[in-house]
Amino acid sequence: MSDIYRALDDETRRLVLDELAARDGQTLFEICSTLATRHGLTLTRQAISQHLGVLEDAGLLRTERRGRSKFHYFTPAPLAEIARRWPLPERTTP
């Protein structure tokens, strides 16, 4: 579980997950383009690739290779596991 927290500790990786949650199955080129245009992040493809590797190692995304392209998919299961571990009780406002 510490891999998940380490992966989520970085703002760029959280933005990558946000973008994959909004539109799954993006290539590295698409992710780099989206981060640059929507968020003003102009990181190298290698830097983004390293971020993707951290997310994949943590189980937060999976990849699928089709021909020369590699597609990235958000995997929300580890986040759901955290939510199940620490459920928030319903709170009433006094």
Side-chain angles (χ1 to χ4, degrees):
M1 191 167 286
S2 63
D3 288 349
I4 297 168
Y5 292 112
R6 186 176 81 96
L8 295 174
D9 187 42
D10 185 90
E11 175 68 19
T12 300
R13 290 192 284 267
R14 290 191 304 269
L15 289 172
V16 168
L17 289 179
D18 288 342
E19 293 302 330
L20 288 174
R23 190 172 69 81
D24 228 1
Q26 295 185 55
T27 64
L28 175 60
F29 176 79
E30 291 171 315
I31 293 168
C32 290
S33 298
T34 301
L35 291 176
T37 57
R38 289 190 186 157
H39 305 285
L41 291 177
T42 54
L43 299 172
T44 64
R45 289 170 50 100
Q46 182 179 1
I48 298 298
S49 184
Q50 289 173 347
H51 283 299
L52 292 168
V54 171
L55 291 168
E56 187 172 16
D57 289 346
L60 292 167
L61 67 83
R62 67 176 177 81
T63 60
E64 180 182 306
R65 191 167 283 285
R66 281 186 251 146
R68 294 177 54 187
S69 299
K70 187 175 183 182
F71 296 86
H72 301 82
Y73 298 90
F74 176 51
T75 306
L79 299 177
E81 183 180 326
I82 291 170
R84 280 192 300 275
R85 184 172 179 173
W86 292 290
L88 296 174
E90 288 290 323
R91 294 182 183 184
T92 58
T93 308

